[in-house]
Amino acid sequence: MSKGDHESTAHPADPVDPADLGDPGDPGDPGDPGESLPPTAWAVLGLLSFPGERTGYELKKWADSSLRFFYWSPAISQIYAELRRLESCGYATSRRSGPEEPRAKRAYAITDAGRTALSRWASAGQDPGAPVLKHPLLLRVWLGHLTQPEQLRALVHEHVARTRGELKEVRDALARADGVEAWGHPQIALRWSERRLISEVELAEAMLGDLEGL
């Protein structure tokens, strides 16, 4: 886990928490707050459902090393917006650090109401929907008749290298989570991501063979 987000002094790697700048954020729906929450809000609340408090910056780092491999990683500004929304719903609470900290930071935690709402959402019986695939490389391949063959093959090779890099990141995340009982289910999602990336490399290498055959 990374160092917390610093709120009193702006820094590219440690953004100021807008909650300390008086930004009211999105007040949400006070009548039935859970009804109008978007999936990203539930994902942020899900990050808070694991033991401990976390700053917005820590949530972003965790999303980058976990959620993005099978869902997506929201921008830091969106994480802060959802945290404010969750607080307004009573699903999260925050605590600003004291003067003993060299730089003030705000840590967030899930509330009992938030855990109940998240459990209800996660256990909902309806179909969560089909996966959405947007594969920029395949769009280029689909338009390959307008591209030089060697350029197209170079794009596929770059994709294979990038995917292998992501595979290493997933395996690193799995190693960090190994033996942590609270992260059992995230490990299952990461193992799925590992298998998907292995398949992605195999599919891309097979596509190189298909391109050679044209």
Side-chain angles (χ1 to χ4, degrees):
M1 188 64 68
S2 65
K3 296 180 180 178
D5 51 341
H6 303 313
E7 299 169 345
S8 60
T9 304
H11 187 282
D14 302 308
V16 172
D17 188 336
D20 292 324
L21 300 179
D23 186 342
D26 186 343
D29 180 358
D32 190 1
E35 285 295 322
S36 59
L37 288 182
T40 301
W42 293 116
V44 173
L45 190 60
L47 292 172
L48 290 175
S49 70
F50 295 91
E53 296 179 323
R54 290 177 179 85
T55 64
Y57 184 60
E58 288 172 334
L59 293 172
K60 170 60 176 171
K61 296 294 287 184
W62 198 3
D64 285 347
S65 64
S66 179
L67 282 178
R68 77 176 178 92
F69 295 117
F70 56 86
Y71 192 64
W72 77 307
S73 181
I76 186 68
S77 59
Q78 189 168 11
I79 287 177
Y80 281 129
E82 296 303 344
L83 286 169
R84 297 197 300 275
R85 189 204 304 261
L86 292 167
E87 276 200 282
S88 72
C89 293
Y91 290 169
T93 185
S94 67
R95 176 183 59 83
R96 186 182 174 90
S97 63
E100 69 280 0
E101 291 281 347
R103 290 181 179 177
K105 57 185 178 181
R106 183 177 296 276
Y108 294 83
I110 193 170
T111 64
D112 290 341
R115 190 173 296 278
T116 297
L118 182 62
S119 177
R120 184 169 58 246
W121 181 82
S123 304
Q126 69 266 26
D127 184 352
V132 177
L133 175 63
K134 292 173 65 177
H135 205 304
L137 174 64
L138 284 179
L139 184 58
R140 297 289 187 90
V141 172
W142 183 64
L143 296 171
H145 58 289
L146 304 174
T147 308
Q148 293 297 321
E150 61 274 13
Q151 182 180 359
L152 192 57
R153 287 194 294 271
L155 289 174
V156 179
H157 281 296
E158 290 172 7
H159 176 69
V160 170
R162 182 174 55 252
T163 303
R164 285 177 172 155
E166 291 181 352
L167 180 58
K168 181 183 182 303
E169 292 181 46
V170 168
R171 287 171 171 166
D172 289 344
L174 278 168
R176 290 192 297 270
D178 187 41
V180 182
E181 183 178 355
W183 294 354
H185 289 94
Q187 286 181 71
I188 292 174
L190 285 171
R191 281 195 290 269
W192 178 91
S193 300
E194 180 185 30
R195 291 189 287 267
R196 182 190 68 80
L197 290 169
I198 290 171
S199 297
E200 182 70 22
V201 170
E202 293 173 349
L203 289 169
E205 290 177 338
M207 186 160 56
L208 283 171
D210 292 340
L211 290 171
E212 291 290 346
L214 291 180

